[in-house]
Amino acid sequence: MCGISALLLADPSQVAVGELLESLGLLQHRGQDAAGIVTCGHKGRLFQCKGNGMVRDVFTQPRLRALSGNMGVAHVRYPTAGTPADSEAQPFYVNSPYGIAMAHNGNLTNDSELRHFLDYEAHRHINTDSDSELLLNIFANNLQKTGKFRINEQDIFSAVEGLYSECRGAYAVTAMLAGFGLIGFRDPHGIRPLVFGRRKSLSGKGFDYMFASESVVLDALDFTDIEDVQPGEVIIVSKSAVTRRRLVVEETIAPCIFEYVYFARPDSTIDGIPVYNARLDMGVKLARKVKQELGEGMDIDVVIPVPDTSRAAALQLSHELGLPYREGFNKNRYVGRTFIMPGQEMRRKSVRRKLNAMPTEFKDRNVLLVDDSIVRGTTSQEIIQMARDVGAKKVYFASAAPAIRYPNVYGIDMPSRTELVAAGNSDDDVSAAIGADRVFFQDLDDLIASCRLFNPKITTFDTSVFDGKYVTGDVSPEYLEKLEERRADCSKLKADSADNEVIGLHNYK
């Protein structure tokens, strides 16, 4: 999962990098592995700074001063396809044709096929293992076919239309053509989110335009007329006009439901669904599940959330059950999100550095811990043990999401079934594995209902991690096996240490 943004300021004398930097700070929760910004300045010259690390670490003041120009694209990343190498920090750049920088959130499911095509037929050099570089080069190759000295909007629409027919999987994209403008588009199923908005220019002449993964970015930067880029839609923002066209209309529109469960900030609205409100309703339905399963034997004394994403669900659950809600864990906000950390052992060690249990809320009590989901079980197991260590008598554990039993292929790094604690296991098995007295999982139909409550027009979501149904229809057992091998924790850590010879092109140090 990644975060992307792009900005074009109406006043050519203004500099875009400050607000691009701010946008990455607002999207830092979507990726803490790497960050990057590419801007476009005088005469179409591109300036770049990117590298591994948090936003605050990658962008020093000298680097920021070098990023001139009134438009740019930006990206925060955690590794899905490819490796955590510095060379795979985005945005990616190709100089031919026309100079293109691109930021991508998602994952392609036919990357092997695309890599073969680009090598043997298009004769384009691919420098990394990243599927995002493949996506960029497919787009560049389609633009190259025009053979024009200068291109127009129709040429861009044709290039993206070709990309839609060639690239399968999930992708939300922001791109910049040197000296021309910005492009934003989503895959035909709308799996990954992208929003678009505008505001009056500070100069009073014209409008500034911005794309971002989440609406919170545009809200914070005072953009208005905020809307979702539609699945299969392309929006082109040039210096003189905004042109948009929906090139593909799929029968199945399926936003990733895990955005609402975990990834998105609660103050964002995605595809017309306010994330916070959806999580509140998840709490309502999860409370019914707990009440139904425990019945008259309910002996819970207190409801405690695992911060931060489960707070809304836990609060509403406690209200529905008529139980006190308490903050039992103090969170160190300077430790990254454990779910998106590479390496099982690193995740395990990080939990206790990140959370500290407060004994007064646990001692001699039967507690119900509420979390957004249970993925590998590593975090849940450590948290439950922390609760017991400070005196909890019984520890129940409720998940606002159903049991995750299948790999994700659309940009979430939980691919291997062997890493998923619920894969092939019953709820009782999961309880034993994580050390809980009992586990409660949200029903899938209830999770879908919690999201559809706020936008009934969306009839389908990508729920593949729960039910194994992949909306793109091209995910075979062979593909999953290959993906599991590529993304295994051991190979990811090995690549992290061995890939320091791959160059990152045009980087400012």
Side-chain angles (χ1 to χ4, degrees):
M1 190 65 61
C2 302
I4 61 176
S5 63
L7 174 65
L8 189 151
L9 301 176
D11 186 349
S13 67
Q14 296 297 308
V15 178
V17 66
E19 289 182 306
L20 287 170
L21 178 68
E22 192 169 351
S23 75
L24 294 187
L26 292 163
L27 295 172
Q28 184 77 86
H29 61 286
R30 299 184 68 88
Q32 299 164 8
D33 179 71
I37 295 174
V38 177
T39 60
C40 183
H42 184 57
K43 294 185 178 180
R45 184 177 179 185
L46 300 182
F47 302 88
Q48 172 181 282
C49 175
K50 63 179 184 176
N52 279 0
M54 303 278 279
V55 172
R56 64 174 181 260
D57 300 321
V58 173
F59 300 103
T60 62
Q61 284 301 316
R63 290 177 176 180
L64 291 171
R65 284 193 293 269
L67 299 177
S68 63
N70 68 318
M71 68 174 174
V73 292
H75 188 274
V76 287
R77 175 184 186 266
Y78 92 101
T80 50
T83 72
D86 186 81
S87 61
E88 295 191 7
Q90 295 187 44
F92 279 113
Y93 162 71
V94 290
N95 66 344
S96 178
Y98 314 116
I100 309 168
M102 178 180 285
H104 164 225
N105 174 29
N107 189 64
L108 301 182
T109 54
N110 64 330
D111 55 317
S112 296
E113 174 188 320
L114 296 174
R115 192 175 296 275
H116 183 275
F117 166 76
L118 289 167
D119 188 9
Y120 286 85
E121 297 184 43
H123 309 305
R124 298 187 70 90
H125 174 67
I126 304 301
N127 199 54
T128 71
D129 293 326
S130 172
D131 62 331
S132 303
E133 190 182 7
L134 300 177
L135 191 71
L136 169 59
N137 276 273
I138 290 292
F139 177 62
N141 186 63
N142 291 344
L143 275 183
Q144 188 82 56
K145 294 174 184 177
T146 66
K148 290 183 177 180
F149 177 66
R150 290 285 184 264
I151 56 171
N152 56 33
E153 283 83 353
Q154 181 54 50
D155 298 321
I156 296 171
F157 284 130
S158 298
V160 179
E161 189 170 24
L163 181 149
Y164 280 144
S165 67
E166 295 168 289
C167 297
R168 298 193 297 271
Y171 45 92
V173 173
T174 55
M176 177 174 63
L177 268 64
F180 184 92
L182 303 177
I183 308 161
F185 58 90
R186 288 173 81 184
D187 67 79
H189 295 285
I191 300 172
R192 299 268 71 88
L194 187 65
V195 297
F196 175 68
R198 69 175 188 174
R199 71 181 178 198
K200 280 279 190 181
S201 171
L202 293 176
S203 68
K205 297 179 181 179
F207 290 90
D208 303 329
Y209 294 94
M210 191 169 201
F211 295 96
S213 293
E214 296 187 30
S215 63
V216 63
V217 175
L218 278 66
D219 286 332
L221 297 176
D222 297 324
F223 280 78
T224 58
D225 304 320
I226 301 170
E227 57 183 314
D228 296 285
V229 178
Q230 294 302 303
E233 182 181 27
V234 184
I235 301 178
I236 303 170
V237 184
S238 70
K239 296 177 181 179
S240 57
V242 176
T243 314
R244 57 196 306 169
R245 192 177 299 174
R246 196 168 183 186
L247 300 177
V248 181
V249 180
E250 282 282 352
E251 291 183 7
T252 305
I253 305 302
C256 175
I257 206 164
F258 218 66
E259 291 280 354
Y260 306 99
V261 172
Y262 174 79
F263 273 108
R265 275 181 47 151
D267 44 351
S268 284
T269 298
I270 296 175
D271 287 311
I273 300 171
V275 175
Y276 180 76
N277 296 79
R279 289 177 183 170
L280 284 176
D281 198 68
M282 291 175 203
V284 172
K285 293 176 170 58
L286 187 57
R288 295 174 189 167
K289 180 72 175 286
V290 172
K291 190 181 297 185
Q292 174 186 336
E293 294 201 4
L294 286 182
E296 297 299 323
M298 185 183 295
D299 57 353
I300 299 168
D301 297 315
V302 64
V303 175
I304 296 176
V306 178
D308 284 315
T309 47
S310 64
R311 280 196 171 107
L315 181 64
Q316 199 65 17
L317 179 147
S318 69
H319 176 76
E320 293 292 317
L321 295 180
L323 294 170
Y325 169 94
R326 293 289 185 270
E327 293 285 348
F329 294 101
N330 187 54
K331 182 178 179 181
N332 178 0
R333 301 185 182 279
Y334 302 100
V335 176
R337 298 179 92 174
T338 55
F339 170 67
I340 63 176
M341 286 183 174
Q344 188 85 320
E345 188 60 31
M346 188 182 300
R347 283 186 290 269
R348 188 182 301 276
K349 289 180 178 179
S350 179
V351 174
R352 288 183 179 257
R353 296 171 185 167
K354 181 180 179 180
L355 295 176
N356 186 49
M358 293 182 278
T360 54
E361 300 301 335
F362 290 93
K363 187 172 177 56
D364 298 327
R365 291 180 175 179
N366 297 333
V367 300
L368 173 60
L369 302 182
V370 181
D371 207 351
D372 49 73
S373 58
I374 303 174
V375 184
R376 298 167 176 90
T378 309
T379 300
S380 304
Q381 183 181 27
E382 290 293 320
I383 288 171
I384 290 167
Q385 188 58 50
M386 289 168 64
R388 295 194 189 281
D389 289 345
V390 293
K393 291 193 298 183
K394 287 186 179 180
V395 182
Y396 298 107
F397 204 95
S399 167
I404 297 172
R405 305 187 191 277
Y406 300 92
N408 182 277
V409 301
Y410 299 131
I412 301 175
D413 189 23
M414 51 166 122
S416 174
R417 290 197 71 185
T418 60
E419 291 185 271
L420 304 176
V421 69
N425 292 323
S426 67
D427 291 0
D428 288 341
D429 293 333
V430 175
S431 297
I434 65 176
D437 288 280
R438 190 161 183 172
V439 165
F440 308 96
F441 285 106
Q442 184 86 268
D443 291 330
L444 181 56
D445 288 343
D446 284 342
L447 176 60
I448 292 171
S450 291
C451 296
R452 288 200 66 224
L453 179 65
F454 304 97
N455 187 357
K457 293 180 180 178
I458 299 178
T459 59
T460 308
F461 292 86
D462 169 48
T463 56
S464 54
V465 296
F466 308 122
D467 58 16
K469 298 176 182 177
Y470 299 96
V471 66
T472 53
D474 62 337
V475 179
S476 65
E478 293 77 18
Y479 173 84
L480 291 176
E481 183 178 351
K482 180 181 177 182
L483 192 66
E484 288 186 7
E485 291 175 359
R486 193 192 332 172
R487 292 186 182 172
D489 274 337
C490 58
S491 63
K492 183 178 291 183
L493 291 173
K494 180 179 178 181
D496 191 34
S497 62
D499 193 41
N500 55 7
E501 296 300 318
V502 179
I503 61 172
L505 301 179
H506 306 287
N507 204 13
Y508 282 90
K509 295 298 183 183

